[in-house]
Amino acid sequence: MVGDDTWASLADKFADEAYASVKGYVRTHVMHQQLLEHLPPPPAPVLDVGGGAGHQSFPLAQAGYDVTLLDSSPAMLDKARQRLARLPGEVQHRVRLVRGDGEQAEEAVQGQRFAAVLCHGVLGYLEDPEPLVSQLCRCADAGGVVSIMTGNAKTGAVRPALERRWADALASFDARTEIGVLGVRGRADTVEELSELMRGRGVQPLRWYGVWLFVDWLEFGGAELDPSDAQQVAATAAVELEASRRDPYRQLSRVFHLVGRKGPN
Ligand SMILES: C[S@@+](CC[C@H](N)C(=O)[O-])C[C@H]1O[C@@H](n2cnc3c(N)ncnc32)[C@H](O)[C@@H]1O
């Protein structure tokens, strides 16, 4: 809720630590490539709901898109502001930061419609995804893209199994919630359920992808990947991008990225 900044205590952990890892790099890289397959060429307006510190939408601003980042957390918006200040002036001019709840996104952006509406890593923190998904679909222009990334309910046993918590793993096959890596309880969805929600709101699902797989499994298995080894990181990201597009790999990713397109109004 606006006014209750539950993300204040997580801002550093998420924005600085999680994204500094190889896994963080892979997430941004893979999803950026997946998005570019569906976005119109820049310039075009993009709304990032629950955009946090801008890790996904600032690269789009750098690519020439006009970005509106909407987030309910003042602490995360501060992080976004600090990161934005380090980018070239022309990129800064293409980004607008707005404080507000995603569930009131349409009002927060004064009815503007967007060529793409992103919502990555947010739905899992909400009890019911429907009100937010409705708003994402409303804010997309006719022909616009809706891009959702969230936890995959079908892979709940992966993390406890890799951490050798076997009793938890056994109990996780049909579980919908778990305490995530940030220490917050998260809820997972399925591609089918979110596709159905989109369809009911005029957005046709186009394609879905995995996000990270091997780096995630390696990390939980205890391997340390060096984010400063640029050559290795690039090679890793190339493998992850390929895995994210194919069965059975994408089905095993703990998060999925679903992209839909809004029909004519
Ligand atoms: C895990 S972070 C993801 C940030 C960003 N989308 C990314 O992928 O890097 C979740 C973000 O969602 C924001 N958030 C959570 N619930 C929200 C809501 N109901 N409306 C708007 N933002 C919300 C949090 O403040 C936080 O910045």
Side-chain angles (χ1 to χ4, degrees):
M1 280 173 53
V2 173
D4 169 19
D5 194 353
T6 43
W7 277 84
S9 59
L10 300 174
D12 291 340
K13 204 171 175 181
F14 178 74
D16 301 331
E17 292 172 32
Y19 270 111
S21 65
V22 174
K23 202 162 127 179
Y25 175 83
V26 165
R27 180 197 204 275
T28 309
H29 172 80
V30 165
M31 292 188 65
H32 188 73
Q33 301 307 317
Q34 294 167 349
L35 274 170
L36 292 183
E37 288 177 11
H38 304 283
L39 290 184
V46 173
L47 173 64
D48 190 6
V49 176
H55 286 86
Q56 201 68 61
S57 48
F58 290 176
L60 291 172
Q62 286 172 289
Y65 292 94
D66 296 310
V67 167
T68 301
L69 187 157
L70 174 72
D71 202 286
S72 55
S73 162
M76 290 300 271
L77 288 170
D78 277 348
K79 283 275 170 207
R81 218 165 276 119
Q82 289 160 22
R83 294 187 67 247
L84 191 57
R86 298 198 284 268
L87 296 177
E90 59 182 291
V91 178
Q92 295 185 29
H93 284 124
R94 286 199 286 272
V95 177
R96 179 168 63 123
L97 303 179
V98 178
R99 186 183 168 202
D101 271 337
E103 291 85 342
Q104 274 93 48
E106 189 182 25
E107 193 185 328
V109 298
Q110 284 134 9
Q112 189 185 344
R113 296 291 185 250
F114 295 82
V117 181
L118 323 181
C119 184
H120 301 160
V122 185
L123 286 186
Y125 301 104
L126 310 177
E127 271 180 31
D128 177 7
E130 192 277 332
L132 187 47
V133 172
S134 275
Q135 287 287 304
L136 305 176
C137 296
R138 289 183 74 87
C139 291
D141 208 347
V145 161
V146 174
S147 159
I148 297 176
M149 185 269 230
T150 198
N152 183 355
K154 293 186 178 169
T155 56
V158 167
R159 180 177 163 213
L162 291 173
E163 291 176 341
R164 285 158 270 181
R165 292 185 283 115
W166 301 112
D168 290 345
L170 194 58
S172 298
F173 281 98
D174 296 313
R176 277 303 180 118
T177 66
E178 66 158 357
I179 304 292
V181 290
L182 295 176
V184 178
R185 182 161 289 282
R187 193 191 48 77
D189 288 292
T190 67
V191 172
E192 292 77 14
E193 287 162 356
L194 287 190
S195 298
E196 205 44 48
L197 280 183
M198 275 185 174
R199 263 188 222 103
R201 284 145 196 83
V203 174
Q204 196 55 34
L206 292 175
R207 193 164 178 191
W208 74 272
Y209 309 84
V211 178
W212 21 241
L213 179 65
F214 303 114
V215 285
D216 192 40
W217 289 37
L218 282 165
E219 184 185 281
F220 289 129
E224 281 183 26
L225 304 175
D226 179 3
S228 67
D229 186 340
Q231 216 176 345
Q232 275 286 94
V233 172
T236 309
V239 171
E240 292 281 6
L241 180 60
E242 207 44 53
S244 78
R245 306 175 196 271
R246 297 169 182 246
D247 287 331
Y249 305 103
R250 66 173 183 164
Q251 294 169 321
L252 294 169
S253 174
R254 290 189 312 115
V255 290
F256 64 84
H257 179 200
L258 172 64
V259 180
R261 190 176 300 287
K262 190 161 170 181
N265 281 327

